[in-house]
Coordinates of all heavy atoms in Angstrom, one line a residue:
S47 N -62.0 -18.0 24.4 CA -60.9 -17.1 24.8 C -60.4 -17.5 26.2 O -59.2 -17.5 26.4 CB -61.3 -15.7 24.7 OG -61.7 -15.3 23.4
S48 N -61.3 -17.7 27.1 CA -61.0 -18.0 28.5 C -60.3 -19.4 28.5 O -59.3 -19.6 29.2 CB -62.2 -18.0 29.3 OG -61.9 -18.2 30.7
A49 N -60.8 -20.3 27.8 CA -60.2 -21.7 27.8 C -58.8 -21.6 27.2 O -57.9 -22.3 27.7 CB -61.1 -22.6 27.0
A50 N -58.6 -20.9 26.1 CA -57.3 -20.7 25.5 C -56.4 -20.1 26.5 O -55.2 -20.4 26.5 CB -57.4 -20.0 24.2
K51 N -56.8 -19.1 27.2 CA -56.0 -18.4 28.2 C -55.6 -19.4 29.3 O -54.4 -19.4 29.7 CB -56.7 -17.3 28.8 CG -55.9 -16.3 29.7 CD -56.7 -15.1 30.2 CE -55.9 -14.2 31.0 NZ -56.7 -13.0 31.5
K52 N -56.5 -20.3 29.7 CA -56.1 -21.3 30.7 C -55.1 -22.3 30.2 O -54.3 -22.8 31.0 CB -57.4 -22.0 31.2 CG -58.3 -21.2 32.2 CD -59.4 -22.1 32.6 CE -60.2 -21.4 33.7 NZ -59.4 -21.2 35.0
L53 N -55.1 -22.5 28.9 CA -54.2 -23.5 28.3 C -52.8 -22.7 27.9 O -52.0 -23.3 27.3 CB -54.8 -24.1 27.1 CG -56.0 -25.0 27.4 CD1 -56.6 -25.4 26.0 CD2 -55.6 -26.2 28.2
S54 N -52.7 -21.5 28.4 CA -51.5 -20.7 28.2 C -51.2 -20.4 26.8 O -50.0 -20.2 26.4 CB -50.3 -21.5 28.8 OG -50.4 -21.7 30.2
I55 N -52.2 -20.3 26.0 CA -52.1 -19.8 24.6 C -51.9 -18.3 24.7 O -52.7 -17.6 25.4 CB -53.3 -20.2 23.7 CG1 -53.4 -21.7 23.6 CG2 -53.2 -19.5 22.4 CD1 -54.6 -22.2 22.9
P56 N -50.9 -17.7 24.0 CA -50.6 -16.3 24.1 C -51.9 -15.5 23.8 O -52.6 -15.8 22.8 CB -49.5 -16.0 23.1 CG -48.9 -17.4 22.9 CD -49.9 -18.4 23.2
P57 N -52.2 -14.4 24.6 CA -53.4 -13.6 24.4 C -53.5 -13.0 23.0 O -54.5 -12.9 22.4 CB -53.3 -12.6 25.5 CG -52.5 -13.2 26.6 CD -51.5 -14.0 25.8
I58 N -52.3 -12.6 22.4 CA -52.3 -12.0 21.1 C -52.8 -13.0 20.1 O -53.5 -12.6 19.1 CB -50.9 -11.5 20.8 CG1 -51.0 -10.6 19.5 CG2 -50.0 -12.7 20.6 CD1 -51.7 -9.3 19.7
I59 N -52.5 -14.3 20.2 CA -53.0 -15.3 19.3 C -54.5 -15.5 19.4 O -55.2 -15.6 18.5 CB -52.3 -16.6 19.5 CG1 -50.8 -16.5 19.4 CG2 -52.7 -17.7 18.5 CD1 -50.3 -15.9 18.1
I60 N -55.0 -15.4 20.7 CA -56.4 -15.5 20.9 C -57.2 -14.4 20.3 O -58.2 -14.6 19.6 CB -56.7 -15.5 22.4 CG1 -56.0 -16.7 23.1 CG2 -58.2 -15.6 22.7 CD1 -56.1 -16.6 24.7
G61 N -56.6 -13.2 20.4 CA -57.3 -12.0 19.9 C -57.3 -12.0 18.4 O -58.3 -11.6 17.7
M62 N -56.3 -12.6 17.7 CA -56.2 -12.5 16.3 C -56.9 -13.7 15.6 O -57.0 -13.7 14.4 CB -54.7 -12.5 15.8 CG -54.0 -11.2 16.2 SD -54.7 -9.7 15.7 CE -54.5 -9.9 13.9
T63 N -57.3 -14.7 16.4 CA -58.0 -15.9 15.8 C -59.5 -16.0 16.3 O -60.4 -15.7 15.6 CB -57.2 -17.1 16.1 OG1 -57.0 -17.2 17.6 CG2 -55.9 -17.1 15.4
I64 N -59.6 -16.4 17.6 CA -60.9 -16.6 18.1 C -61.8 -15.4 18.2 O -62.9 -15.4 17.7 CB -60.8 -17.2 19.6 CG1 -60.1 -18.6 19.5 CG2 -62.2 -17.4 20.2 CD1 -59.8 -19.1 20.9
V65 N -61.2 -14.3 18.7 CA -62.0 -13.1 18.8 C -62.2 -12.5 17.5 O -63.3 -12.0 17.2 CB -61.2 -12.1 19.7 CG1 -62.0 -10.7 19.8 CG2 -61.1 -12.6 21.2
A66 N -61.2 -12.5 16.6 CA -61.4 -11.9 15.3 C -62.5 -12.7 14.5 O -63.3 -12.0 13.7 CB -60.1 -11.9 14.5
M67 N -62.5 -14.0 14.6 CA -63.5 -14.8 13.8 C -64.8 -14.7 14.4 O -65.8 -15.0 13.8 CB -63.0 -16.2 13.7 CG -61.9 -16.5 12.7 SD -61.6 -18.2 12.5 CE -60.6 -18.6 13.9
G68 N -64.9 -14.3 15.7 CA -66.2 -14.2 16.4 C -67.2 -13.4 15.7 O -68.4 -13.8 15.5
T69 N -66.9 -12.2 15.1 CA -67.8 -11.4 14.5 C -68.3 -12.0 13.1 O -69.3 -11.5 12.5 CB -67.3 -10.0 14.3 OG1 -66.0 -10.0 13.5 CG2 -67.0 -9.3 15.6
S70 N -67.5 -12.9 12.6 CA -67.9 -13.6 11.3 C -68.7 -14.9 11.5 O -69.1 -15.4 10.5 CB -66.6 -13.8 10.5 OG -66.1 -12.6 10.0
L71 N -68.8 -15.3 12.7 CA -69.6 -16.5 13.0 C -71.0 -16.5 12.5 O -71.5 -17.5 11.9 CB -69.5 -16.9 14.5 CG -68.2 -17.4 15.0 CD1 -68.2 -17.7 16.5 CD2 -67.8 -18.7 14.3
P72 N -71.8 -15.3 12.7 CA -73.1 -15.3 12.1 C -73.2 -15.5 10.6 O -74.0 -16.3 10.1 CB -73.6 -13.9 12.5 CG -72.9 -13.6 13.8 CD -71.5 -14.2 13.5
E73 N -72.3 -14.8 9.9 CA -72.2 -15.0 8.5 C -71.8 -16.5 8.1 O -72.4 -17.0 7.1 CB -71.2 -14.1 7.8 CG -71.6 -12.6 7.8 CD -71.2 -11.8 9.0 OE1 -70.8 -12.5 10.0 OE2 -71.2 -10.6 9.0
T74 N -70.9 -17.0 8.8 CA -70.5 -18.4 8.6 C -71.7 -19.4 8.7 O -72.0 -20.2 7.9 CB -69.4 -18.9 9.6 OG1 -68.3 -17.9 9.5 CG2 -68.9 -20.3 9.2
S75 N -72.4 -19.2 9.8 CA -73.6 -20.1 10.1 C -74.6 -20.0 9.0 O -75.1 -21.0 8.5 CB -74.2 -19.8 11.4 OG -75.2 -20.7 11.7
V76 N -75.0 -18.7 8.7 CA -76.0 -18.5 7.7 C -75.6 -19.1 6.3 O -76.4 -19.7 5.6 CB -76.4 -17.0 7.5 CG1 -77.3 -16.8 6.3 CG2 -77.0 -16.6 8.8
S77 N -74.4 -18.8 5.9 CA -73.9 -19.2 4.6 C -73.8 -20.7 4.5 O -74.2 -21.3 3.5 CB -72.6 -18.6 4.2 OG -72.7 -17.2 4.0
V78 N -73.3 -21.3 5.5 CA -73.2 -22.8 5.5 C -74.6 -23.4 5.5 O -74.8 -24.4 4.8 CB -72.4 -23.3 6.7 CG1 -72.5 -24.8 6.9 CG2 -70.9 -22.9 6.6

Side-chain angles (χ1 to χ4, degrees):
S47 299
S48 183
K51 188 175 182 180
K52 282 185 172 296
L53 296 173
S54 300
I55 296 175
I58 191 67
I59 305 300
I60 301 172
M62 296 303 292
T63 54
I64 297 170
V65 176
M67 283 188 284
T69 55
S70 289
L71 286 175
E73 287 90 345
T74 305
S75 180
V76 170
S77 290
V78 169

